[in-house]
Amino acid sequence: ETGDSSDVLAHPDRVTSVAVSPSGGCILTGCVDQKVRKWSAVPPYTLMEWECTLPLAEKDSKEDDSDRPYIQVVFLDDDWFVVGYEKLFIMKVDDGSVVRSFKTEFETNGPFETNGHVLSITALHPNLFLTGHENGSIQEWDTNSDNCVHTFKDHSDHVQSIAKVNDLHFISGSNDHTFKLWNIQSKDCIRTFSGHTSAVDAVMYMPTRNTVLTGSDDENIKVWALNELISDVVIGE
């Protein structure tokens, strides 16, 4: 049975990311038209004070419709958020103004020809966030710094998703069919989890059970215990 929705947050093109503020007061959406929109988080979910257009990607005249940028957006706190694709911007929630901008690193000398487009963003705390890239890297950013402060390199393909575990650890899912557990302090990959037969597109940590959910192109969701090397539940088979 399919649920019905009477509330629609209409966009002129594909919506690529959605974020809800920590207090639940507003919603931000990213769209392939390179606009970020701020919406009320209570019915009737109206467009609020602003929408802004940012130069998040260089226009390629040969680019077809399916290859347009997948704009990512995430809250740092109730006052600031991050939006990015080729470039990153820290912005104010109240008026959509830019606080700081960054240029992400591009690399084409890895195991495959690609660039550093941002595919995922997650905030570890209000002053620290991570970005996952098409070149397999994960970059760490400090809001008080002008540059990337560290680059994690252990995945061999696109990093599709990143999720916080706690103040010292995070996880990442990749097109290399794995997800990894990292230590943000030591900068080490603690463990690589294998078991999917295709790209790991989504990762989520469940603190009440100390487990990780992973969603994959192999049409399965797996549940993993972080203190074990095997998945104990498979949903979808």
Side-chain angles (χ1 to χ4, degrees):
E1 184 178 348
T2 302
D4 295 325
S5 174
S6 58
D7 298 302
V8 177
L9 281 66
H11 290 70
D13 215 319
R14 286 179 291 160
V15 178
T16 55
S17 59
V18 179
V20 180
S21 63
S23 65
C26 67
I27 299 168
L28 295 177
T29 57
C31 183
V32 295
D33 63 3
Q34 298 195 47
K35 288 190 176 183
V36 178
R37 294 171 173 86
K38 179 183 176 183
W39 307 80
S40 169
V42 296
Y45 305 105
T46 53
L47 185 65
M48 295 178 72
E49 294 88 352
W50 56 262
E51 65 177 25
C52 58
T53 303
L54 294 167
L56 291 163
E58 301 295 333
K59 180 63 178 177
D60 186 345
S61 60
K62 298 180 180 180
E63 185 177 60
D64 62 33
D65 182 74
S66 63
D67 292 329
R68 286 181 297 160
Y70 274 59
I71 305 305
Q72 299 297 312
V73 60
V74 67
F75 281 92
L76 293 173
D77 55 25
D78 281 319
D79 298 317
W80 288 8
F81 68 96
V82 181
V83 60
Y85 180 64
E86 288 178 5
K87 299 177 182 179
L88 289 168
F89 294 91
I90 297 177
M91 304 179 67
K92 290 183 179 180
V93 175
D94 61 351
D95 60 7
S97 62
V98 174
V99 176
R100 179 166 295 182
S101 62
F102 307 87
K103 180 72 172 179
T104 62
E105 294 180 5
F106 280 65
E107 297 180 3
T108 56
N109 58 352
F112 50 92
E113 293 297 320
T114 185
N115 52 40
H117 292 156
V118 175
L119 299 178
S120 55
I121 308 176
T122 194
L124 296 181
H125 58 71
N127 295 320
L128 185 69
F129 65 96
L130 302 169
T131 53
H133 298 261
E134 285 185 344
N135 60 15
S137 69
I138 299 168
Q139 291 185 285
E140 176 187 350
W141 305 85
D142 188 319
T143 59
N144 298 313
S145 173
D146 291 330
N147 299 298
C148 167
V149 297
H150 184 76
T151 299
F152 300 84
K153 296 181 179 181
D154 204 55
H155 282 296
S156 60
D157 209 328
H158 299 46
V159 177
Q160 297 283 12
S161 57
I162 307 171
K164 178 180 177 178
V165 173
N166 53 39
D167 288 341
L168 289 177
H169 301 93
F170 69 92
I171 50 177
S172 58
S174 171
N175 281 11
D176 64 12
H177 305 182
T178 71
F179 86 90
K180 296 177 183 289
L181 174 66
W182 304 82
N183 186 303
I184 190 68
Q185 191 171 54
S186 69
K187 314 302 182 187
D188 294 326
C189 175
I190 298 172
R191 189 171 296 173
T192 298
F193 295 79
S194 301
H196 282 293
T197 58
S198 191
V200 179
D201 297 318
V203 294
M204 178 176 288
Y205 177 66
M206 296 191 297
T208 56
R209 298 186 60 191
N210 192 32
T211 55
V212 173
L213 286 172
T214 55
S216 170
D217 284 355
D218 64 14
E219 302 180 0
N220 290 313
I221 294 173
K222 296 194 174 188
V223 184
W224 311 74
L226 283 188
N227 58 350
E228 299 176 3
L229 286 175
I230 60 171
S231 60
D232 52 14
V233 178
V234 179
I235 303 172
E237 290 187 340

